[in-house]
Each structure stands twice: as structure tokens, then as C-alpha cells.
Amino acid sequence: MTSTVLAEWAADLGLPDLSHDVRHATARHLMDGVGNAVAAARLDYGRPAWTVATALGGPPEARPLTGTQALSAPAAAFASGVMVHALDFDDTHAGALVHATAVTLPAAIAVGQERAASGADVLLAGAIGLETACRLGAVSPHGFHSGGVHATGAVGPLVAALVAGRLSRLTSATLVHALGIAGSSGAGLLEFLDTDADTKALHPGSASLNGVLAARLAAAGATGPSSVLEGRRGLYAALTSRPADFTALTDGLGIRWEATRIGIKPYPSCQLMHVALDAVSAAVAGHDVTASDIADVEVAVHSDSLPIVCGPNAGVAAPRSTYDGKFDLPWSVAALLHDGVVDVATYTDDSIARPDVLDTARRVRSVELVTDGPAAAAPGRAVVTLTDGRVLTGSVDGSRGSAALPLSDDDLTDKFLANCGHQPRAKELSARLLDLAGESDLTAVLDLAAALASSS
């Protein structure tokens, strides 16, 4: 069974087995996740989830990211998962279309504290989690999403279970049971796309909590099916609507690392619109263009992306919520043309209510892009027609921050510092996270994150 292969790999892997590139990529993604959580806390996102997490009870085992109060490890993982994903600013693996860090970091931080793990232990568990998330998603590319299921919510409990189980030193046999138990928690509906709800932000929190619980249940003697993945009633048979290829999970495991190919977002919005934003930026670059000059904008959009970022409300009415705006491609393109940037300030209550941006959004049209490969790795094309008759075109091979066009360490640090409000101690935290293997425990990292989150 593939769950056995995965469990044996995770149980046997050691830090010396990770190349410099894998270690560095893992540290980059954990750093990005912490920065996103700090930004969400500074903007007071995720308060309901935080309130619920603090009321769940249990022994004081771990602090959530950005928090000072110790909670049970499952509760801390829940709160951290919500905060990492709350702004939709966290990383995405294109082929898997999963937010790998949002279901890896929360479990690693929570169980890492519970187990008094070193930074090296957490880094290793983080590498295991990131790789697992990428490979589980890649088994059925866009298969979860096409059926209305959020892939991160579906595979996330298994990822968190493996991370928690590794930090808890579970045997490979027990890890198989943890994966089997976690699979029954796989879920996450995309119905939020048709409403003003922000339930998507809860999916990594629920996944992280359920994964930590699954590892605990397995350690206590509960059993789960080893056929959780490829069984006729397993995760993919039940939740995907496209074929599953399990060689994507096992081929080259531990040799070829998908964790080094996870994209880091430069925009706090759905990954599937990033290439359109980059193409529009390329079209108007070097031209003195204002939003009032725009007569028409045509953007080519991958067929799998269309129902997610070009829904029936997109570009027709103002976003129904700030989260809805992050999945409204026409409105986001219009905001880019008005403001010159798309950043955290783009998606606020005041910003999404601007009538002039909506007026421009109504001039943004999408056409289907015919191309091979996954939607999140698609090229982009935009044609901007101005009121004076000029036609500007922009094309990009992929979105900035993706595996093909990765953010440099300096770019990532700039994003991190902005998420932390450019506070002086943010540089210290970024340096500690990039050298996480050198930390004796997580205390200093958590203290700094909490201090930055509580300061303006």
C-alpha cells in the first residue's frame, strides 16, 4: 500500500538525507508561513477561530503562532493553520494545487513545542510535510477542485498526521494507522466561492487539528485502513473526479523533491489569478496608463481556473466580502490598474467597495486559454485596449513566485518584512527562521513572532 511506503520513508528519513537545497527551501516556506500568520494577526484576521481555539481546553502544551497563551497541541495547530492561510498569501504547489505550508507548519510548531523538539527536528518534519502535501495533491491534479473539494483540506489531515507522528517518534506501522485515521477527516468544500463566506481559511486549521489528533489516536492504539489512499472507498475514490496516478506519490520519493518547486505568492489572492495580474502588468509596463484610459481588457485564463476566479459574480458586482475579492479576477485586475499594486491593502472592506474599481472591472473579459499543464503553472496573456485606440499586449511564461520564476531570498525577505510591518526585530526573526536548524528549541522564534504580531 502507498501509505506504507509513505510512512516508512517518513520514519526513516534523517536530516543528513536532506540536501542543502531541500533544507533551504523548507526554511524559506516555514519563514513565509510565519510571516503570513504575523500579517493576519496584525490585521486582526481569524479572530473567531482564535477564540474557539482558546476555549477548546486541554493541557497547556503549545502556543499558536503569534500567540502567548499555551493551549493543547491540537488547538494550537488549529489556530495556527487558520492564521497562516487567513490572507490567502501562503504558498502553492502548481501541480498539486495545495497550500503545503498551511498544513505543515501548524502541526510542526505545535507538536514541536509539545515534544521539546529542536529546530533541526522541526525542519526535518517540515520537509516531510511539504513533500507529502505536494505528492498527495499531484496524485490527481485538479481532481479534488473539479469536484468541488479544496485539495488542501482533503490531503491536509494526512500531512499534519505525518508531521505530528514523526515529531512524536511513532513507528512506521503506527504512522500507517495515523494516515488511515486522518484520511477520514479529509474535506473542505469550495462552496464559499458562491457566497461571501471565508470558510476556506478554516480548512488548514481543521486539517492541522485533525492530523495531530490522528497521530495521537494511532499512538493510543486506534487503527486506520492502510488502503486509505488507493482503496475503492479511499480518499481519491471518494473525493476526486479525475483519475488518480499513485506513482506521483511514490516515484523518486526522497530523491526528487517537489518541496523545492513550491511557489511563494507575491499577491495575497488566489494563485490561479496571479498569472493574469502579471500579464496585465507586462502589458501596461512602460506606458503612462491610468484606469480612466482603459476601454477593454482581455485576459486568457486556463479552463480549470475559470470557474474559480471568473465566477458568475466576478466583474459584475462588487466583491461580497474581502475574501470574495481574492477570487474575483476582473476586480483584482481592475484594482491593479487603479493602484499599481495588489497587496494586503487591496482586500479591505473600504477597498472592495470602490465604485470606480468596479466600473473598470466590468471592462475586464476572460477568454479560455488552451494550453497543456496545470492551471497554476499556465502562461498568461493580456490585451489592453485604451480609449485612444492603442492596443497593449503582455505575455508571461508563468506567474512570478512560481517554480519557473521563483522569488529570490531578498524578495522573500522583503515580503516577510512587509508582513511584519517593517519592525526592527523582523529581520532577526527572518534570520532565525532561515537558520532554523541552528535553534535549540522554538522559544525564541515564537517569542519574536508573538511580539511582532502584537505591534503596529
Side-chain angles (χ1 to χ4, degrees):
M1 293 295 178
T2 51
S3 65
T4 301
V5 174
L6 191 60
E8 290 176 348
W9 165 75
D12 293 342
L13 195 70
L15 197 63
D17 297 320
L18 305 186
S19 69
H20 169 78
D21 287 347
V22 173
R23 294 189 196 193
H24 188 58
T26 301
R28 277 169 49 97
H29 289 291
L30 299 185
M31 169 184 162
D32 185 51
V34 172
N36 293 326
V38 170
R42 294 178 64 246
L43 294 167
D44 200 27
Y45 276 68
R47 180 174 290 276
W50 196 273
T51 300
V52 169
T54 58
L56 285 177
E61 297 168 328
R63 288 182 283 165
L65 278 171
T66 76
T68 57
Q69 178 183 347
L71 312 173
S72 69
F78 172 73
S80 295
V82 174
M83 297 305 286
V84 170
H85 193 53
L87 296 178
D88 221 292
F89 211 177
D90 50 312
D91 55 28
T92 308
H93 183 277
L97 202 59
V98 295
H99 298 281
T101 296
V103 291
T104 295
L105 177 61
I109 290 291
V111 180
Q113 292 175 79
E114 176 197 359
R115 297 290 173 172
S118 67
D121 292 334
V122 172
L123 186 72
L124 175 61
I128 290 169
L130 295 177
E131 187 69 11
T132 300
C134 297
R135 286 174 173 268
L136 287 173
V139 166
S140 182
H142 211 81
F144 292 106
H145 285 80
S146 61
V149 175
H150 186 201
T152 304
V155 307
L158 289 90
V159 175
L162 210 57
V163 170
R166 173 55 202 243
L167 284 166
S168 300
R169 299 287 195 264
L170 302 186
T171 65
S172 60
T174 306
L175 286 176
V176 170
H177 289 300
L179 290 168
I181 295 166
S184 285
S185 301
L189 301 179
L190 295 180
E191 183 59 23
F192 73 92
L193 289 168
D194 290 340
T195 73
D196 63 353
D198 58 3
T199 48
K200 180 173 179 281
L202 300 177
H203 296 166
S206 298
S208 299
L209 180 150
N210 285 318
V212 174
L213 287 178
R216 287 188 170 188
L217 286 164
T223 62
S226 60
S227 55
V228 62
L229 299 177
E230 66 268 63
R232 63 192 179 101
R233 300 180 187 87
L235 188 76
Y236 295 90
L239 298 182
T240 63
S241 58
R242 293 186 179 178
D245 177 8
F246 292 99
T247 62
L249 179 60
T250 57
D251 278 8
L253 185 62
I255 300 171
R256 172 180 53 79
W257 283 83
E258 289 298 318
T260 64
R261 298 183 52 79
I262 304 170
I264 293 178
K265 288 185 177 182
Y267 307 116
S269 62
C270 178
Q271 176 68 51
L272 298 179
M273 71 166 66
H274 285 207
V275 73
L277 296 173
D278 286 344
V280 171
S281 293
V284 301
H287 300 278
D288 186 15
V289 174
T290 65
S292 61
D293 299 322
I294 303 297
D296 180 78
V297 179
E298 178 187 279
V299 291
V301 182
H302 193 287
S303 57
D304 285 341
S305 301
L306 282 169
I308 295 177
V309 295
C310 297
N313 192 63
V316 176
R320 293 160 290 197
S321 66
T322 57
Y323 212 81
D324 187 35
K326 295 172 182 287
F327 290 81
D328 188 329
L329 184 151
W331 188 91
S332 297
V333 166
L336 173 67
L337 291 168
H338 277 261
D339 305 333
V341 297
V342 170
D343 57 18
V344 171
T346 301
Y347 302 104
T348 63
D349 289 335
D350 290 340
S351 182
I352 64 170
R354 292 181 289 172
D356 55 341
V357 177
L358 176 59
D359 181 61
T360 302
R362 288 172 174 157
R363 301 175 212 165
V364 179
R365 300 178 293 108
S366 61
V367 296
E368 184 175 351
L369 175 70
V370 179
T371 183
D372 294 329
R381 185 180 72 249
V383 180
V384 179
T385 304
L386 305 183
T387 54
D388 63 8
R390 285 182 294 160
V391 177
L392 311 177
T393 61
S395 297
V396 294
D397 293 334
S399 59
R400 188 167 62 93
S402 65
L405 300 165
L407 297 185
S408 68
D409 284 357
D410 287 344
D411 291 335
L412 174 59
T413 299
D414 287 345
K415 174 185 174 180
F416 183 86
L417 296 179
N419 274 340
C420 295
H422 294 285
Q423 298 175 71
R425 299 198 73 190
K427 289 186 177 181
E428 179 186 349
L429 179 55
S430 68
R432 284 183 176 274
L433 289 166
L434 286 175
D435 189 28
L436 185 60
E439 297 289 316
S440 60
D441 58 33
L442 297 174
T443 303
V445 165
L446 290 164
D447 286 347
L448 281 168
L452 292 169
S454 64
S455 302
S456 58

